Amino acid sequence: MKTERPPAKSEQLRRHLADLLVGELAPHERLPTERSLAEEFSVSRLTVRRVLDQLEREGRVYRVQGSGTFVSEPRIHKSVELTSFSEDMRSRGLRPGSLEVSSERIPAGADIGYALQISPSSQVLHIRRVRTADDEPMCLEHSYLPAELVPDDLGPELHGSLYEVLSARYGLTLHRAEQTIKATVLDPDDARALGAPPFSPAFLVQRTGFDARGRAIERADSLYRGDRYSYQLTIYRDPQ
């Protein structure tokens, strides 16, 4: 009968740290020092550093020069599906919300007008919101809606799901969308709104949504914190 060999010490260390990250340490708590981990598992500090490097690449820990290694806040994984921010958060057991909500009617301008297939001089309802998950800022969202489709300013309802309001009040339901995702950084004003360091990584998600009649009903520019959000893709190969 073949005897299974025990896992290598580096793998034992990794499993130990994974258990700490999941069950014992909260976000932003400090991990044991490299020296103490090396002594506990009888490995070199280089081995410890390599394990921590891997966890850092996975986004599970972060380092502060001179202070140590700390637990990262969990990332929220977004699959590429036609869902609202509120639906995304609820599906993950998080409570969606909004901060710093404002709205105004402005001329569409060239870019928004082109996306919504209207004249640049046509009016749009511009809605700005900081979207939250369990009261933590996650996304800075700018939505632009053709004014002729949305004659009201919506008011307190903007703290919830915009898509639910559009469907219930105006019968406007998103059927499909064209979307691009770009890597960027947060300028100081956007960073303040999201509670993140200036020039930290972010995703810019630009979406134009259409109803079943093919009308463009929304253009949205959403800026997501790169340290809290990620996109997950399932890609299939054409058998042909």
Side-chain angles (χ1 to χ4, degrees):
M1 183 175 178
K2 188 175 181 180
T3 303
E4 291 188 5
R5 298 177 61 183
K9 290 183 177 180
S10 61
E11 180 60 24
Q12 294 178 27
L13 171 60
R14 178 180 171 80
R15 292 179 183 178
H16 171 72
L17 292 176
D19 289 341
L20 290 181
L21 296 176
V22 171
E24 297 187 29
L25 297 179
H28 308 299
E29 283 195 61
R30 187 167 62 182
L31 273 67
T33 65
E34 290 182 5
R35 175 179 293 178
S36 65
L37 290 170
E39 292 175 353
E40 180 179 354
F41 287 87
S42 301
V43 296
S44 68
R45 292 185 63 174
L46 178 60
T47 297
V48 175
R49 197 167 297 125
R50 286 173 176 166
V51 172
L52 293 174
D53 285 345
Q54 180 62 36
L55 292 173
E56 186 175 27
R57 286 192 294 271
E58 294 171 3
R60 303 182 69 182
V61 303
Y62 65 93
R63 287 180 166 118
V64 177
Q65 185 67 35
S67 297
T69 305
F70 298 81
V71 182
S72 296
E73 291 193 5
R75 289 190 175 190
I76 296 172
H77 295 278
K78 170 73 170 79
S79 60
V80 181
E81 301 169 346
L82 188 49
T83 56
S84 69
F85 179 90
S86 296
E87 290 169 333
D88 290 341
M89 297 305 104
R90 290 171 186 153
S91 70
R92 290 157 177 77
L94 301 173
R95 184 180 67 259
S98 299
L99 299 172
E100 300 184 21
V101 176
S102 64
S103 64
E104 59 178 341
R105 293 183 181 272
I106 60 173
D111 291 342
I112 301 302
Y114 179 80
L116 292 176
Q117 304 170 0
I118 59 177
S119 167
S121 62
S122 296
Q123 292 283 300
V124 295
L125 178 62
H126 171 213
I127 302 167
R128 179 191 182 278
R129 304 187 291 176
V130 175
R131 305 308 311 274
T132 62
D134 284 350
D135 300 322
E136 290 293 324
M138 190 72 61
C139 166
L140 175 58
E141 181 181 87
H142 293 269
S143 295
Y144 303 88
L145 310 170
E148 64 176 11
L149 297 181
V150 185
D152 306 313
D153 289 339
L154 304 183
E157 293 171 294
L158 292 177
H159 287 271
S161 170
L162 176 61
Y163 292 168
E164 291 175 6
V165 174
L166 293 177
S167 178
R169 186 181 290 195
Y170 305 110
L172 297 172
T173 302
L174 212 62
H175 178 69
R176 67 177 179 88
E178 297 174 357
Q179 180 168 288
T180 62
I181 305 170
K182 302 176 182 177
T184 186
V185 296
L186 298 174
D187 68 29
D189 288 340
D190 293 340
R192 179 204 58 78
L194 291 173
F199 309 110
S200 56
F203 294 111
L204 174 60
V205 180
Q206 296 176 306
R207 172 190 283 186
T208 302
F210 302 84
D211 66 7
R213 294 165 54 184
R215 296 180 300 178
I217 61 176
E218 183 205 25
R219 165 58 182 242
D221 293 343
S222 303
L223 199 58
Y224 289 90
R225 286 177 50 168
D227 62 334
R228 296 296 313 278
Y229 219 79
S230 64
Y231 274 80
Q232 180 176 338
L233 301 174
T234 300
I235 303 173
Y236 295 93
R237 183 174 181 176
D238 187 343
Q240 300 301 322

